[in-house]
Amino acid sequence: MSEVLERLGEVLEARKNADPESSYVAKLYDKGLDAILKKIGEEATETVMAAKDGVPEKIIYETADLWFHSLVLLAHQGLKPQDVLDELDRRFGLSGLEEKARRDR
């Protein structure tokens, strides 16, 4: 899985230098952070609605859109998918309650 995320991260990074007229991602970057955040909000809502519908294919499709746009945000902010994977790995084996308690300090 991380190989797919790594490849996608590389493509998203390369799109920073693309013409906004030639690339959807370059157009998002050109519009700036607020446009990217708006898109993530839209995709999160669509993911929730798909889950409520309970159709597996819709859930997968909308989750892929949400993940994609989240990866666009990471690249826009100079972060990589591996940064998130490292954080998830750090949390592995911790109970969710324990992890949350550490953040609340």
Side-chain angles (χ1 to χ4, degrees):
M1 176 171 89
S2 64
E3 181 183 318
V4 171
L5 293 175
E6 183 178 330
R7 286 191 341 243
L8 186 52
E10 290 169 0
V11 169
L12 294 175
E13 191 64 33
R15 293 293 190 270
K16 288 181 176 179
N17 300 316
D19 178 1
E21 297 303 314
S22 70
S23 163
Y24 169 75
V25 172
K27 188 175 288 192
L28 272 178
Y29 289 148
D30 190 56
K31 289 180 180 180
L33 181 61
D34 286 346
I36 295 167
L37 296 175
K38 180 180 177 187
K39 195 63 184 166
I40 290 172
E42 291 170 7
E43 297 303 342
T45 299
E46 291 172 6
T47 302
V48 168
M49 292 181 341
K52 293 287 277 179
D53 290 344
V55 178
E57 294 81 11
K58 282 183 170 180
I59 297 168
I60 292 166
Y61 183 88
E62 295 302 343
T63 300
D65 280 352
L66 179 58
W67 286 15
F68 177 83
H69 288 90
S70 295
L71 291 169
V72 170
L73 171 65
L74 289 174
H76 184 267
Q77 299 294 88
L79 301 167
K80 298 188 177 336
Q82 189 61 50
D83 297 324
V84 176
L85 294 174
D86 290 346
E87 176 61 14
L88 290 171
D89 187 53
R90 184 192 68 78
R91 294 181 188 185
F92 197 82
L94 287 178
S95 83
L97 296 175
E98 180 183 353
E99 199 283 323
K100 182 170 177 0
R102 288 182 180 184
R103 283 187 280 149
D104 289 343
R105 290 183 193 164

